């Protein structure tokens, strides 16, 4: 199982959208693994919409939530960060569904 400790992987406690893209690419590299990639937020508080959007929001736009849950596990995340992450992922998932509905009506 791949484990990404955010603070160590990003070499900082202050993360950016660029760091989020870096982490997302690492997740995508392990997408076909049998075990989920673990994102370990121990020791870091994110509080960054752009990091969460780039990391998991874009994946939620590309994959349904059940698939995302099978491939990524989040651990040791601050409760406020968890709420922020959940809002972003749900918003991107909703966008994905709306795009699928628009595509279906255009056919």
């Amino acid at each position: 199982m791949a484990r990404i400790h955010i603070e160590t992987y990003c070499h900082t406690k202050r993360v950016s959208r660029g760091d989020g893209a870096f982490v997302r690419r690492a997740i995508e590299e392990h997408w076909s693994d049998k075990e989920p990639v673990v994102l370990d937020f121990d020791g870091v508080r994110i509080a960054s919409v752009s990091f969460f959007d780039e990391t998991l929001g874009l994946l939620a736009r590309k994959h349904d939530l059940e698939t995302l849950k099978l491939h990524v596990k989040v651990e040791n995340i601050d409760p406020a960060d968890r709420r922020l992450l959940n809002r972003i992922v749900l918003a991107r998932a909703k966008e994905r569904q709306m795009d699928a509905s628009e595509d279906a009506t255009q056919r």
Side-chain angles (χ1 to χ4, degrees):
M1 170 181 341
R3 182 176 207 81
I4 300 172
H5 182 256
I6 300 301
E7 183 179 4
T8 303
Y9 197 76
C10 295
H11 306 290
T12 183
K13 285 186 179 229
R14 303 182 124 217
V15 293
S16 65
R17 182 171 287 278
D19 294 318
F22 185 56
V23 172
R24 180 176 35 79
R25 284 191 295 273
I27 293 168
E28 291 172 331
E29 287 174 15
H30 293 281
W31 196 257
S32 61
D33 292 0
K34 290 182 181 184
E35 297 290 322
V37 175
V38 175
L39 300 182
D40 186 348
F41 288 88
D42 187 45
V44 65
R45 172 95 198 280
I46 304 297
S48 168
V49 170
S50 60
F51 175 83
F52 286 136
D53 185 50
E54 191 69 38
T55 304
L56 293 170
L58 293 182
L59 289 173
R61 179 118 167 122
K62 188 175 180 181
H63 304 282
D64 65 77
L65 292 180
E66 289 307 313
T67 301
L68 187 58
K69 289 176 188 177
L70 288 173
H71 292 275
V72 182
K73 183 177 178 186
V74 175
E75 292 183 353
N76 302 313
I77 190 167
D78 178 87
D81 280 346
R82 170 58 86 178
R83 288 188 298 275
L84 180 60
L85 174 61
N86 288 349
R87 280 196 302 269
I88 291 164
V89 167
L90 290 174
R92 287 297 196 161
K94 192 174 200 176
E95 288 174 14
R96 182 179 171 281
Q97 291 172 338
M98 289 173 38
D99 287 349
S101 294
E102 287 176 13
D103 289 345
T105 58
Q106 291 177 356
R107 291 181 192 163

